[in-house]
Amino acid sequence: MLSKKSRIFTFGCSFTEFPWPTWADIVIAHAETEAAWGENWGRVGAGNLFIASRIWECNAKNKFTTDDYVFVCWSALNREDRYVDGSWQTPGLVNEHIYTREFIEKYADTAFYAMRDSALIKSTQLALTQLGVTNIHFSMVGLIQDNPWLPF
């Protein structure tokens, strides 16, 4: 139940943050009608590495409490997020417009993405629960998507 001390934090990809309103904007607007406060930490093109990293950056800045609500919209697995020269690069799905064919053939591996993101998702869920934060996790798309750029 929302209280005046409640804060809402949302995380995800373009389904969460986009130039027009998303589910996160609706959730935050509703929370604010209940005198709660909300903040959207989503980003267009974000993958699950970015999403998990931003959750813990948000916690470092805001110190999650048992009054808080964290909503996480996980993204598809086959994304490559990078923190480069002081900023996050979130180009979306791995493709030949961004990465070379050689990079894709050598490093873009669905099994790796599944292991990496399963660990990120589960450890984030467990840690948020351990902190006593109400947390809700979902995905607007299947975690594994067809990608014509990948060689498998």
Side-chain angles (χ1 to χ4, degrees), residues 65-137:
T65 72
T66 56
D67 293 314
D68 294 333
Y69 292 79
V70 171
F71 294 84
V72 186
C73 179
W74 296 103
S75 188
L77 301 181
N78 51 345
R79 293 187 176 204
E80 289 280 343
D81 301 320
R82 302 266 183 230
Y83 191 79
V84 179
D85 296 328
S87 68
W88 277 99
Q89 307 299 308
T90 57
L93 293 176
V94 173
N95 65 71
E96 284 188 355
H97 298 295
I98 299 164
Y99 298 99
T100 65
R101 169 57 53 191
E102 293 77 28
F103 176 92
I104 292 170
E105 289 175 358
K106 187 171 183 176
Y107 298 111
D109 184 276
T110 300
F112 164 72
Y113 294 142
M115 289 185 283
R116 177 197 65 191
D117 290 13
S118 294
L120 287 169
I121 291 167
K122 189 60 177 180
S123 61
T124 298
Q125 182 183 37
L126 289 170
L128 289 169
T129 300
Q130 183 68 32
L131 288 173
V133 176
T134 300
N135 58 103
I136 298 168
H137 302 260

